[in-house]
Amino acid sequence: IKIFEAGHPTPDENSMKGTAEALKLSENVSDEDLVIVCISGGGSALLCKPVQGIDLQDKRKVTNLLLASGCSIQEKNAVLKHLSAVKGGQLRREISPGACISLVLSDVVGDPLDVIASGPTFPDCSTLDDCSDIIKKYKLEEKLPTPCISHLTKDASVAETPKPGSGMFVDDIVQIVANNRKAAKACRRKAQELGFRTLMLGSEIEGDALEIGDRFAEIVRKISEENKTNGPIAVIAGGETTMTLPESPGLGGRNQALALRAMQKISGIKNVAFLSAGTDGGDGPKHDSAGAIVTGSDFRRSEELKIDSTAYLKHADSYNFFKEYEKKLYNFEDDTGVGKVHLRDGPTGTNVMDICVMLIGDAAED
């Protein structure tokens, strides 16, 4: 088995090389062969073969523009599928007439098969018209490379992806081997083992990271006010939020931004802790954090240390906020600096979106 370590969230040369090797395997597939395809989140970047007329740099630019726009993963992958020669069911076309089993590790809310890794072996429910709407919605008409715009405006008979109803998908077998729901349930079991009552908010949390931070903080506040003598509660939620980035963003992804906003909003609440983290062990490129853990006292402490959390949020620089905060906390000579707020456990080898855990003690306790 050949392994190609490639780029994510934007494709690189190894993405192209690995895809070329995968396509070589499909060249001699017959109707007596069974092809097993393992699919996971990240596949949109790792599996990369642009359509004719578009090069890797074009594809990288489109990916980065979409990531910075604040669009949903469904919208992002709709565009990427239509600029690809292997996504949106087109890898399945390459391995025809062989039989196909797809084993899927889901990183998308609701487990839509045509969106996870841009659905290389599944019929594509998105269309060229959808792509046009997405580009207009996020004002990308003047920003996308000209070859990409040209391809997306071609006639559907030339540039459209395989759709539901195509015969090549009829007898395929699909198994979702893991998803966010399973991860959230595992969190709930562990919390119960530790003596927490639990409340599940589901595994379909979507929307702007800062707005979700506000909502979760309000939930924490309300439960804390009402939880007088019934013992600690763990509130668990899963899903994947988005961010709209400024022109020159700093470091830190949606989980650290969500946790930083929640930190501001739960300020002053006793006996609460809030975690937001990526299940893959990462939260954006160029740093080592999967997310952050904050409490009801962290905002006050950051203010005392003269670290402006709002300014860091404005510049999408939550990683450097927490880095600076940790650094100053550990300069203290008392117990104030005990513990870390960044979660640094390294790559987990899986990716089923993000998990938020809110721990709430009795309000009556000091």
Side-chain angles (χ1 to χ4, degrees), residues 223-290:
I223 292 177
S224 178
E225 290 171 352
E226 297 173 2
N227 191 39
K228 302 300 183 183
T229 58
N230 294 323
I233 298 175
V235 182
I236 299 162
E240 188 169 279
T241 61
T242 57
M243 292 177 64
T244 302
L245 299 179
E247 283 293 326
S248 299
L251 295 179
R254 57 186 179 264
N255 286 290
Q256 290 163 87
L258 195 160
L260 183 50
R261 173 54 70 89
M263 183 197 79
Q264 294 176 327
K265 300 296 184 177
I266 63 174
S267 179
I269 306 176
K270 295 181 179 180
N271 303 311
V272 298
F274 185 103
L275 160 73
S276 184
T279 58
D280 60 354
D283 185 40
K286 301 180 182 179
H287 63 76
D288 58 356
S289 175

Side-chain angles (χ1 to χ4, degrees), residues 28-213:
N28 298 315
V29 172
S30 73
D31 59 3
E32 296 182 352
D33 292 322
L34 170 64
V35 180
I36 300 175
V37 184
C38 298
I39 298 170
S40 73
S44 294
L46 301 176
L47 188 72
C48 180
K49 182 184 178 182
V51 295
Q52 188 173 0
I54 295 173
D55 62 22
L56 176 60
Q57 292 310 309
D58 290 333
K59 197 67 178 288
R60 285 175 59 86
K61 184 173 182 179
V62 172
T63 302
N64 286 328
L65 285 168
L66 290 167
L67 288 170
S69 72
C71 72
S72 68
I73 189 172
Q74 290 84 352
E75 292 170 320
K76 174 179 75 72
N77 287 1
V79 176
L80 296 180
K81 282 184 279 189
H82 286 86
L83 297 174
S84 172
V86 287
K87 301 182 180 73
Q90 295 178 92
L91 179 62
R92 180 64 183 93
R93 179 189 286 155
E94 294 295 324
I95 61 179
S96 292
C100 180
I101 296 177
S102 296
L103 304 178
V104 183
L105 194 67
S106 174
D107 72 330
V108 183
V109 168
D111 305 331
L113 297 175
D114 69 317
V115 178
I116 303 165
S118 294
T121 59
F122 305 107
D124 182 20
C125 296
S126 68
T127 65
L128 287 167
D129 287 340
D130 293 330
C131 295
S132 178
D133 292 340
I134 293 163
I135 291 168
K136 291 175 183 176
K137 177 180 177 181
Y138 295 99
K139 298 179 173 58
L140 299 176
E141 303 98 316
E142 304 298 323
K143 297 180 181 179
L144 294 186
T146 300
C148 297
I149 292 292
S150 297
H151 182 78
L152 293 173
T153 54
K154 286 182 178 179
D155 187 87
S157 63
V158 177
E160 195 53 275
T161 50
K163 295 293 179 262
S166 173
M168 68 174 137
F169 303 110
V170 171
D171 295 319
D172 288 0
I173 297 173
V174 181
Q175 178 66 51
I176 295 177
V177 296
N179 57 14
N180 188 267
R181 189 177 303 107
K182 291 184 178 182
K185 286 181 177 179
C187 287
R188 180 176 64 183
R189 288 195 298 271
K190 186 62 178 180
Q192 290 170 342
E193 289 174 9
L194 294 171
F196 287 88
R197 292 180 296 137
T198 58
L199 172 63
M200 294 281 287
L201 299 182
S203 293
E204 299 189 353
I205 305 300
E206 294 181 289
D208 179 79
L210 303 188
E211 293 178 4
I212 298 300

Side-chain angles (χ1 to χ4, degrees), residues 328-338:
K328 290 192 173 182
L329 278 180
Y330 281 93
N331 285 336
F332 291 156
E333 295 180 358
D334 56 24
D335 290 339
T336 316
V338 175

Side-chain angles (χ1 to χ4, degrees), residues 11-37:
D12 60 13
E13 292 289 348
N14 270 359
S15 304
M16 301 276 284
K17 291 177 182 178
T19 302
E21 287 294 321
L23 291 174
K24 277 185 183 179
L25 293 175
S26 70
E27 289 177 355
N28 298 315
V29 172
S30 73
D31 59 3
E32 296 182 352
D33 292 322
L34 170 64
V35 180
I36 300 175
V37 184

